[in-house]
Amino acid sequence: MQPCLFCAIARGEVPSHRVCETDDLVAFLDIHPIRPAHTLIVPKAHHAYFDDMPPKLAGDIAVLGQKLARAMKSLYGVERAGFAFMGFDIPHAHAHVMPVFERDDITSRRAIAEEKVTYRHPPRAEDAELVETLARLRSALGD
């Protein structure tokens, strides 16, 4: 198996801006956030895809996602937060949670009108910005 970035983050070998963690999960800020407080939830155990995880673990991710979503909605005054299991860039099951400011913050390719769409990482967030966001999000979580 190739070295896994998310496994290394979960083990604390790679620095991250951890929002919270449980015995089985780590939630940390995405360094290429689509929106402020864009958080990744990863299981500490390696599972390449979300359908490889035990059902309870997938449920635990959803429950933590709900907690984060409520905090983000309160913190940013938005009506909803987005939650999606992904795995395009790193083959380690993970969920994205973020406040939704605009309809296309999380969207399907099928909803895009242009025939050819190109993708890029959102800009790398400055560490100072991530530290400030982390403090605000943790405060909103009540932890």
Side-chain angles (χ1 to χ4, degrees):
M1 183 172 94
Q2 294 283 335
C4 174
L5 175 61
F6 286 170
C7 285
I9 289 172
R11 289 189 303 266
E13 297 168 0
V14 171
S16 65
H17 296 278
R18 289 184 185 223
V19 177
C20 57
E21 71 180 286
T22 68
D23 290 342
D24 300 318
L25 304 173
V26 177
F28 55 92
L29 296 178
D30 193 311
I31 63 169
H32 294 281
I34 293 171
R35 291 294 185 183
H38 179 173
T39 301
L40 302 177
I41 304 171
V42 303
K44 290 180 178 178
H46 185 83
H47 301 279
Y49 305 104
F50 86 95
D51 54 326
D52 295 334
M53 292 185 294
K56 182 185 180 313
L57 185 59
D60 290 346
I61 291 172
V63 169
L64 181 54
Q66 288 178 318
K67 182 177 179 181
L68 287 163
R70 286 189 292 272
M72 290 173 187
K73 288 167 58 176
S74 172
L75 183 60
Y76 294 101
V78 294
E79 183 178 343
R80 65 181 44 92
F83 176 91
F85 278 107
M86 302 298 276
F88 299 118
D89 295 328
I90 298 176
H92 182 121
H94 59 286
H96 293 254
V97 186
M98 74 185 78
V100 173
F101 291 85
E102 296 179 21
R103 182 178 175 171
D104 62 352
D105 283 344
I106 298 178
T107 193
S108 165
R109 169 72 174 95
R110 296 183 64 157
I112 298 170
E114 290 76 23
E115 190 171 313
K116 176 73 174 148
V117 176
T118 58
Y119 294 92
R120 63 177 169 79
H121 284 293
R124 168 72 159 89
E126 297 292 328
D127 283 330
E129 177 187 348
L130 291 170
V131 168
E132 179 183 334
T133 299
L134 180 62
R136 294 181 70 208
L137 186 54
R138 282 182 178 163
S139 177
L141 283 167
D143 292 344

